[in-house]
Amino acid sequence: MNKTLLKFTIGFVAAWLVSCQARVDSFVEIPRLPLIFPDYTGITIPPNIAPLNFKINEPGKAYEVRFTAGGEKPLVVRSGKSSIRIDLGKWRQMLQQGAGSDLQIDVFVKSEQGEWQKFRSIVNEISTEKIDSHLAYRLINTGYVLWNKLGIYQRNLENFDEKPILENKSVEYGCMNCHAFSRNDPDYMMIHIRAIHGGTFINRKGEMKKVDTKTNYTVSAGAYPSWHPDGRHIAYSVNNIGQNFCTGEVRIEVSDAYSDLIVYDSQEDIVTTSPAVSTANRENLPAWSPDGKTLYFTSSPPVNGLNDRIHERYDLLRIGFDVATHAWGTVDTVLSHRQLGKSISFPKVSPDGKFLMFCTSDNGYFTIHHPMSDLNLLNLETGEYRKMEINSPHTESYHSFSSSGRWFVFTSKRLDGLFARPFFSFLDENGNASKPFVMPQKDPGFYQTFIKNYNIPELITGEVKVSPLAIRNTILGPSVPAGLAAGVDTAYMKQHLSMTVK
Amino acid sequence: MIKNILNLRNLSVLVLILAAWLITAYWIEPFLHYHSQQTGFLFSRDFLRSYTTYPGGWADYMAEFISQFFFYPLSGSFLVVAVAALPGFLAMDLATGTSCTRKYGISVFGVILLFGVLVMTDYRYPYYATVRLLCAFVFTWVFALLHRKNPKGSLFIWPVAAFLLFYLASGPALFVFSLSTSIIILSSRDLKYRAAVIPAMLLFAAFLPFLGYRFLYPVTLGDVYKLVVVRHPELLAYTTFYQLYIYYSLLPVILLIFFFVKQKPELLPEPKQVTGETTPKQVKGETASKVAIFKTAYGVHLLQMVILLAAGYFLFVKSFDPEKKRVLQVEYLAENGQWNELLKAVEKTERYDFRVNFQVNRAYAHLGQLPERLFAYPQLLGVYGLFYDNSTINGSLTMPNSDLYFDLGLMSESLHWAYEAQTLMPNSPRILKRLVMASLVNRQYQQAEQFLAVLDRNLLCRDWVARYRPYLTDTALAAKDNLIAEKRLFNPTREFIHLDPLSDLKFLLETNPENRFAYDYLITHTQLSSNFTDFMTYLPRYTSFGLQKLPRSWEEMLAVEIMRNRSFPDFITPETFTDETLQRFGKFNAILKQFNNDVKAARSALQKDFEKTYWYYILYLDPKVTQVLKNKTLIR
């Protein structure tokens, strides 16, 4: 007991001495940037982001870091350890005052010989554009077939609070995935539940229900979603999904035997589709344009055998849709895989309608397992497209825009090649993206011991307010069966199904 | 005399504890719980936090902490007994308080200890159920203390204690507490409002979990009311058996019995002073009946011990299934690569088990005996005794699958199954170690580092981490490691889609024709599936392994092929294939002919000399013949 007390006292005094030591005045300049983890060098950050705590991977016995922004007095953090944890209040104040200017980070390390070293200053930029305050994501282990504990969480990006939106322990460990929001609005949310208590949970401003979107004329219940900006309609792909395990760069291939598109009206609980998006081809991954008049999607030829199924590539297409009349337009090819030499997946249109961001990989559409998956940007006004400058040698996959369109988040495995982490980047009006940075954590070493994946990160403008209890109660309740909208060509769909589903 | 009884009682308690320890250490062996449940306790804030968000989480956290020490055979057994004995001591004290007699204390202690040990006879038993119950005992005991000192005041503390206990140890522990404390209050002579208070308490306890479920905790109703929760997908599917129900009902039942005993003073021949809190005057008062009481008390005590030991023996024999333990022992020995010991352990098994079948084949292959001894163990599942049937896969089979693919040198599949396993048991040291090793083989040092960092938070794995961490910075160390070096030689890098085990084995041999383990598995696969085409295609490669003579089971299959074609294949020499095999096959056929080729009728005659041959397998054991895979009765 006494020993513990003594240790505590010594620790406290040591920490106090470190924090109260005099400012470093004499030092040796090291003409390179310090090694820090995560890499927060040369980045642009939102003025409302949580403190960028980091570890200094330089040997030393004491550390000092000075953050200077907007010509204000520097924020100084001293530590006897290499972990730098920044006070939230002071950090916020500094970012607010420094918005639109550079954030200079000076790292000083006291060597074992007692000499202070100053590394070249890290210069970041504080944007004036705020990022949406919350990020919703699913946390999952790396298993592919089995699952156990998993959940969908929301993280306040302005601090370090993480709360569950729904954990599967509350719904008898069913599987859950594909959460989606309408226009980044946390009041419009959907979550798919699989296996036990299956169905699609839908929340529209506190009105909650569970829906079964499978009909007798569609191949499955809704899978990959996209909310219409009206907050009422949701486009889904309906897929027959399978997985194959591989040796080589890609460890697992997720592919579809067949797939179509549907649009679900969450007010009337009806599903509509059209022969134009229910062809023998594999229509997939719908994404609405911000005006809600056009539905972008990907499409790949029908398959003959496993090799085709895995190795075929997807094109980017679009079709008009009128939510008032459920009238479908004609299909138009936006970008062909032949132009790119790559397969296209996860199209997302920026809120201003100017850009369309998408993933490319060598084949298929399930890019998270493809190390060569990259993010690309298509200028919808000019038709120009390019591979984005933010890519790494590892997987870059699922992405979503902030409500302003100036920020976007995407998952990347660049930290270790295995685990997907959320990275943020600033996108200017010309489509130039800043160097991405990983979501800050209170513990700078967090990502080095966290062995779950961040899946489907979605930026939202506030906290999801419906409680996990309310969501659970809805999911444990009965499903509302979706009907088929009048006007769907049932004769065609019946024939289509009989030819497709073998 | 009282001193004698007390000494006798203490001695008896000691005897019971030692007996329980002996049984736990030598029969139950809790390290097998550790092995099968893969306890992975981490010293980290996140790990703790994950246990604080649901009722019972704190008790679960404590259980995880304690059960990691089951890893050590003797001290783990002692821990099991110590934790099982603690409620016994508390119950003895509570029973004394309720009935004012210590006469039956040893029975109370013994029964609770007995069930504390009995529940451990099921290796899937979730240890948190014991710790949750222990919480209920502790809360009840503390309440009883308070109640003795301040009966009315304790009633105000009760709801707070009930809520706290519900949060710490979930609903069933709360029910034990509320029933037990109700009886304690009922036995109190000072309280006037018992009739009103007790129903209110019981109602509160019945509804509190529901209210917690409804308004506080995002869990299911079953989570707050059930003794154990079986998760989906079922991994360690523990079925709540009568032992656990009895274990949970012991305290209230004991207190109730003592309450009734107290109401009938004729059942308590002892004077009050036997409780131990005697005064010199009281001791003097009993001198008159000294001999009689001594005899009675001693006799009663002895009788209790005899009944306890007899009941203990009977219940233990009824509860403990040595065969299930042997299966776990086999898996444990396989995990540790003790192949000879594994085969010795298998000799003691009495029933066929598909998991044993799988591990026996691995053991044979590791010892280079697979082709020679393949049919020494009945291959009732055919190729599914080599590779588990993925259509029936469950969580318990994921790690053995990963182990086998690691043996074979196919890291992508070893990792695939290890990740599946890790999804179910995220912090299991065994799984994390596999992920480290497979990552090192794949030269994925960053990934290995990630898993090593997690393992480093496990108290029991620090030495292992210290051994492998230098491999991350000095990659030459990994290259010098024999195991890693060998797996790197065998591990394919070409792109390949895994469709079935046979194509995987062919792929492995294509990558490295010197992969003997893969070769033996491939030939065995063709044997067990009677795939003569591939058998004859790959058998000629035996020369590259320096074999002077074909192993027994290969000869037997080849004999069938020779008889079918009436000719010897080119790759056979008189040295590699002996006439003796053909003669044995001739004898086999002759016996069959004696029964006019009636396979059924010839079975017992053939069994005598040919049970462990390929020929017997194809006629009687092949799943295509037995149809066992249709109802999957052998795969449980």
Side-chain angles (χ1 to χ4, degrees):
Chain A
M1 179 65 194
N2 284 341
K3 268 189 179 175
T4 313
L5 196 67
L6 186 70
K7 277 182 189 170
F8 179 77
T9 312
I10 291 170
F12 180 79
V13 170
W16 181 76
L17 284 173
V18 167
S19 65
C20 294
Q21 68 190 322
R23 186 187 162 98
V24 179
D25 287 325
S26 67
F27 47 79
V28 177
E29 294 229 22
I30 308 289
R32 64 171 173 86
L33 289 175
L35 295 172
I36 64 169
F37 179 85
D39 180 6
Y40 291 141
T41 63
I43 57 175
T44 301
I45 59 171
N48 58 332
I49 195 75
L52 302 182
N53 294 341
F54 58 84
K55 269 169 91 173
I56 303 169
N57 288 333
E58 301 286 354
K61 56 181 185 181
Y63 299 85
E64 179 175 311
V65 180
R66 294 179 200 159
F67 299 88
T68 317
E72 298 288 325
K73 200 178 144 194
L75 162 58
V76 181
V77 180
R78 296 190 181 105
S79 174
K81 289 180 181 173
S82 59
S83 284
I84 300 299
R85 296 185 187 220
I86 310 160
D87 178 78
L88 177 63
K90 289 177 184 171
W91 170 264
R92 258 189 201 158
Q93 197 184 353
M94 183 182 71
L95 291 198
Q96 276 165 14
Q97 288 168 350
S101 66
D102 284 349
L103 168 66
Q104 184 176 315
I105 306 173
D106 292 310
V107 174
F108 299 84
V109 177
K110 192 176 189 179
S111 69
E112 291 300 324
Q113 292 74 34
E115 177 188 64
W116 281 98
Q117 300 169 321
K118 179 188 176 293
F119 291 85
R120 211 171 78 204
S121 300
I122 297 166
V123 181
N124 294 331
E125 192 183 331
I126 308 169
S127 168
T128 52
E129 291 279 351
K130 285 188 172 182
I131 195 166
D132 291 340
S133 65
H134 285 70
L135 185 74
Y137 43 81
R138 181 170 70 147
L139 289 178
I140 51 167
N141 287 99
T142 312
Y144 313 102
V145 179
L146 302 174
W147 72 92
N148 188 10
K149 288 179 184 173
L150 54 90
I152 296 169
Y153 299 84
Q154 53 184 334
R155 162 71 193 273
N156 188 334
L157 295 175
E158 297 177 348
N159 52 46
F160 299 108
D161 292 346
E162 184 189 69
K163 291 180 186 171
I165 294 174
L166 178 68
E167 288 178 311
N168 72 338
K169 71 181 177 201
S170 67
V171 290
E172 298 188 50
Y173 294 95
C175 186
M176 57 180 70
N177 55 8
C178 288
H179 49 281
F181 300 86
S182 174
R183 292 171 294 123
N184 308 81
D185 187 343
D187 289 339
Y188 292 85
M189 176 180 73
M190 61 130 288
I191 300 169
H192 286 315
I193 310 295
R194 306 287 187 208
I196 307 158
H197 306 294
T200 299
F201 166 84
I202 291 177
N203 170 40
R204 294 171 65 215
K205 278 201 159 289
E207 273 181 42
M208 288 175 279
K209 61 182 165 186
K210 186 172 78 172
V211 190
D212 178 6
T213 52
K214 169 86 176 84
T215 73
N216 291 335
Y217 297 92
T218 47
V219 298
S220 73
Y224 303 109
S226 175
W227 276 87
H228 190 273
D230 68 359
R232 172 175 160 174
H233 294 82
I234 309 173
Y236 289 110
S237 57
V238 284
N239 314 54
N240 177 286
I241 307 173
Q243 345 186 48
N244 289 92
F245 297 94
C246 314
T247 289
E249 268 211 322
V250 180
R251 286 199 320 264
I252 175 171
E253 288 283 5
V254 178
S255 61
D256 293 353
Y258 42 85
S259 58
D260 295 325
L261 297 185
I262 60 169
V263 173
Y264 163 69
D265 179 345
S266 64
Q267 196 160 299
E268 301 294 329
D269 288 320
I270 51 170
V271 160
T272 186
T273 185
S274 154
V277 290
S278 297
T279 69
N281 286 349
R282 295 177 291 169
E283 295 84 4
N284 205 359
L285 302 173
W288 291 104
S289 62
D291 62 7
K293 290 178 182 168
T294 307
L295 188 62
Y296 290 86
F297 61 99
T298 60
S299 177
S300 178
V303 293
N304 268 320
L306 184 65
N307 202 42
D308 270 11
R309 178 175 165 160
I310 290 176
H311 291 109
E312 279 290 357
R313 290 172 172 170
Y314 282 81
D315 297 324
L316 177 65
L317 281 64
R318 69 180 159 207
I319 188 170
F321 184 76
D322 183 345
V323 286
T325 60
H326 289 184
W328 296 80
T330 48
V331 173
D332 176 24
T333 300
V334 182
L335 208 53
S336 161
H337 74 265
R338 286 187 187 84
Q339 290 168 265
L340 289 144
K342 295 271 183 183
S343 187
I344 299 170
S345 71
F346 296 116
K348 292 280 179 75
V349 186
S350 62
D352 59 7
K354 195 174 171 184
F355 299 109
L356 186 146
M357 200 180 287
F358 60 96
C359 290
T360 49
S361 57
D362 290 339
N363 57 285
Y365 72 93
F366 211 85
T367 50
I368 194 69
H369 299 304
H370 287 238
M372 297 313 290
S373 166
D374 285 321
L375 287 174
N376 298 261
L377 199 67
L378 167 68
N379 187 324
L380 289 170
E381 290 168 357
T382 62
E384 290 169 359
Y385 58 89
R386 65 185 168 83
K387 193 167 130 179
M388 294 181 79
E389 53 276 60
I390 56 169
N391 291 298
S392 76
H394 296 287
T395 306
E396 267 73 47
S397 185
Y398 193 91
H399 48 280
S400 77
F401 284 101
S402 69
S403 55
S404 69
R406 288 282 76 88
W407 292 96
F408 65 96
V409 62
F410 62 97
T411 51
S412 175
K413 296 186 179 179
R414 65 184 65 189
L415 291 187
D416 47 44
L418 179 63
F419 296 105
R421 312 298 193 198
F423 281 76
F424 303 102
S425 175
F426 179 78
L427 189 73
D428 70 18
E429 58 273 21
N430 299 317
N432 300 311
S434 67
K435 180 183 169 184
F437 63 96
V438 71
M439 181 165 74
Q441 300 287 350
K442 195 171 194 173
D443 173 9
F446 174 83
Y447 292 112
Q448 290 166 324
T449 53
F450 189 66
I451 50 175
K452 283 187 177 179
N453 293 278
Y454 286 82
N455 190 228
I456 314 183
E458 291 279 355
L459 283 161
I460 43 178
T461 53
E463 186 177 324
V464 173
K465 291 191 185 68
V466 287
S467 73
L469 292 172
I471 298 174
R472 173 200 66 186
N473 293 343
T474 309
I475 290 169
L476 294 180
S479 292
V480 179
L484 201 68
V488 174
D489 187 344
T490 52
Y492 171 85
M493 289 308 294
K494 213 171 175 180
Q495 194 193 1
H496 168 63
L497 280 186
S498 68
M499 290 175 71
T500 313
V501 183
K502 286 159 192 155
Chain B
M1 191 238 30
I2 291 162
K3 223 177 179 180
N4 284 343
I5 290 174
L6 290 179
N7 285 341
L8 187 64
R9 200 186 68 149
N10 290 345
L11 194 66
S12 304
V13 164
L14 195 65
V15 166
L16 290 178
I17 287 177
L18 284 174
W21 190 16
L22 189 77
I23 287 166
T24 310
Y26 290 99
W27 275 275
I28 297 176
E29 300 191 280
F31 75 90
L32 291 172
H33 288 80
Y34 176 86
H35 158 75
S36 63
Q37 300 192 17
Q38 288 297 309
T39 308
F41 182 89
L42 301 183
F43 282 98
S44 82
R45 218 174 286 169
D46 286 337
F47 185 77
L48 170 62
R49 204 172 53 180
S50 67
Y51 285 91
T52 60
T53 56
Y54 64 95
W58 279 94
D60 298 5
Y61 181 78
M62 285 188 274
E64 286 282 305
F65 176 76
I66 294 168
S67 59
Q68 68 176 325
F69 298 107
F70 294 174
F71 173 80
Y72 302 106
L74 275 184
S75 52
S77 309
F78 179 76
L79 207 53
V80 168
V81 176
V83 173
L86 193 54
F89 286 117
L90 297 176
M92 267 203 296
D93 195 52
L94 286 165
T96 307
T98 310
S99 66
C100 303
T101 177
R102 302 181 78 170
K103 197 170 147 188
Y104 302 107
I106 193 65
S107 286
V108 170
F109 176 82
V111 166
I112 288 171
L113 178 64
L114 172 63
F115 277 88
V117 171
L118 273 184
V119 289
M120 296 294 288
T121 54
D122 189 328
Y123 292 95
R124 295 162 303 179
Y125 174 67
Y127 193 63
Y128 64 74
T130 292
V131 178
R132 287 179 178 190
L133 185 62
L134 176 63
C135 293
F137 273 74
V138 171
F139 270 63
T140 308
W141 183 76
V142 172
F143 177 82
L145 272 185
L146 294 172
H147 187 68
R148 264 178 237 163
K149 285 185 181 163
N150 184 352
K152 279 184 187 166
S154 66
L155 294 183
F156 291 100
I157 291 168
W158 191 90
V160 180
F163 185 80
L164 186 61
L165 179 63
F166 170 62
Y167 174 56
L168 291 178
S170 197
L174 171 66
F175 304 147
V176 172
F177 170 73
S178 53
L179 285 168
S180 306
T181 49
S182 298
I183 298 163
I184 289 166
I185 292 169
L186 198 65
S187 65
S188 159
R189 292 179 193 285
D190 303 328
L191 207 73
K192 291 175 185 170
Y193 308 106
R194 286 178 297 184
V197 167
I198 291 171
M201 281 167 59
L202 294 177
L203 265 176
F204 183 80
F207 279 102
L208 183 61
F210 178 76
L211 296 173
Y213 155 78
R214 192 76 197 155
F215 301 109
L216 277 178
Y217 301 109
V219 293
T220 63
L221 204 53
D223 290 343
V224 291
Y225 279 107
K226 285 184 180 173
L227 290 180
V228 292
V229 180
V230 176
R231 294 195 302 263
H232 178 88
E234 290 185 16
L235 173 63
L236 303 163
Y238 173 75
T239 312
T240 312
F241 205 42
Y242 75 93
Q243 295 104 325
L244 190 58
Y245 288 117
I246 294 177
Y247 193 29
Y248 265 70
S249 55
L250 280 177
L251 183 61
V253 168
I254 287 168
L255 293 179
L256 198 64
I257 291 169
F258 276 72
F259 169 74
F260 284 120
V261 167
K262 193 183 171 188
Q263 308 307 307
K264 302 214 175 245
E266 63 272 20
L267 293 171
L268 291 170
E270 289 174 279
K272 206 177 176 182
Q273 56 270 33
V274 182
T275 55
E277 289 90 27
T278 54
T279 62
K281 196 181 168 188
Q282 285 169 327
V283 174
K284 262 185 194 175
E286 67 169 350
T287 317
S289 57
K290 191 176 177 181
V291 177
I293 289 172
F294 173 77
K295 277 185 179 169
T296 310
Y298 184 79
V300 168
H301 191 89
L302 198 66
L303 187 67
Q304 287 181 77
M305 282 295 282
V306 170
I307 293 172
L308 269 177
L309 292 172
Y313 174 77
F314 175 76
L315 288 172
F316 182 76
V317 169
K318 278 273 172 201
S319 310
F320 182 64
D321 183 347
E323 201 63 14
K324 281 186 181 167
K325 183 187 164 186
R326 277 181 210 125
V327 173
L328 279 179
Q329 274 175 324
V330 165
E331 292 199 315
Y332 172 79
L333 292 167
E335 180 189 331
N336 291 288
Q338 295 171 266
W339 306 113
N340 285 312
E341 292 83 348
L342 185 153
L343 293 177
K344 273 183 204 158
V346 170
E347 284 169 16
K348 291 178 195 158
T349 57
E350 288 160 9
R351 292 194 298 259
Y352 172 83
D353 187 281
F354 74 104
R355 287 160 295 185
V356 173
N357 191 168
F358 177 89
Q359 299 297 4
V360 164
N361 289 339
R362 274 185 73 207
Y364 286 154
H366 274 282
L367 296 170
Q369 300 171 359
L370 185 62
E372 197 62 44
R373 295 182 65 188
L374 174 63
F375 296 105
Y377 190 85
Q379 301 289 341
L380 298 187
L381 288 182
V383 291
Y384 294 133
L386 280 182
F387 293 89
Y388 286 133
D389 176 8
N390 285 356
S391 65
T392 59
I393 210 83
N394 70 40
S396 310
L397 308 181
T398 49
M399 264 321 273
N401 263 347
S402 177
D403 291 340
L404 176 60
Y405 281 108
F406 191 82
D407 293 340
L408 289 164
L410 190 53
M411 290 307 117
S412 54
E413 277 299 273
S414 181
L415 277 170
H416 157 210
W417 288 109
Y419 283 129
E420 297 292 356
Q422 197 253 336
T423 295
L424 302 174
M425 295 177 281
N427 304 311
S428 152
R430 180 186 173 195
I431 299 167
L432 292 171
K433 284 176 185 176
R434 163 56 37 74
L435 290 169
V436 170
M437 292 306 286
S439 301
L440 287 175
V441 173
N442 281 340
R443 296 180 176 83
Q444 291 163 330
Y445 298 105
Q446 278 182 311
Q447 293 169 21
E449 186 176 15
Q450 193 98 1
F451 296 118
L452 279 170
V454 180
L455 274 172
D456 199 31
R457 292 179 169 186
N458 188 313
L459 206 61
L460 306 177
C461 300
R462 291 190 176 152
D463 289 347
W464 197 90
V465 172
R467 180 181 166 192
Y468 286 102
R469 192 161 256 163
Y471 286 32
L472 307 176
T473 43
D474 183 358
T475 53
L477 287 173
K480 280 182 211 157
D481 185 298
N482 286 343
L483 183 66
I484 294 171
E486 185 203 65
K487 299 306 171 197
R488 281 180 177 175
L489 284 176
F490 295 156
N491 188 27
T493 48
R494 177 173 77 76
E495 286 192 6
F496 182 78
I497 300 169
H498 303 291
L499 297 174
D500 57 74
L502 184 63
S503 61
D504 287 346
L505 292 168
K506 290 177 181 175
F507 178 49
L508 280 165
L509 278 180
E510 177 202 300
T511 306
N512 190 330
E514 290 176 16
N515 187 342
R516 175 72 197 264
F517 201 103
Y519 181 70
D520 283 357
Y521 258 67
L522 172 62
I523 296 292
T524 307
H525 194 287
T526 61
Q527 289 178 282
L528 295 177
S529 55
S530 291
N531 174 355
F532 281 90
T533 313
D534 281 326
F535 177 74
M536 293 306 288
T537 307
Y538 283 91
L539 193 62
R541 293 196 187 188
Y542 75 92
T543 49
S544 34
F545 297 104
L547 293 174
Q548 302 301 317
K549 181 188 169 303
L550 282 182
R552 183 187 165 103
S553 73
W554 296 0
E555 276 194 329
E556 288 167 357
M557 185 159 171
L558 189 58
V560 177
E561 182 67 7
I562 289 167
M563 291 292 264
R564 280 200 325 190
N565 298 332
R566 304 276 173 201
S567 69
F568 283 87
D570 301 339
F571 59 86
I572 291 302
T573 64
E575 290 78 35
T576 53
F577 185 84
T578 57
D579 282 345
E580 190 254 337
T581 304
L582 282 179
Q583 284 162 12
R584 280 197 305 124
F585 191 38
K587 194 179 162 194
F588 181 88
N589 284 323
I591 294 173
L592 201 56
K593 265 186 192 162
Q594 280 173 18
F595 291 88
N596 294 322
N597 288 335
D598 183 343
V599 173
K600 256 189 186 174
R603 183 166 188 163
S604 56
L606 288 170
Q607 193 169 12
K608 194 182 157 211
D609 290 329
F610 298 99
E611 190 185 8
K612 292 173 182 176
T613 63
Y614 171 71
W615 311 312
Y616 188 84
Y617 165 79
I618 51 171
L619 283 190
Y620 300 107
L621 305 180
D622 189 338
K624 283 178 212 146
V625 177
T626 58
Q627 303 287 314
V628 289
L629 292 171
K630 274 194 175 166
N631 51 25
K632 293 182 176 167
T633 47
L634 289 178
I635 308 169
R636 287 187 297 269

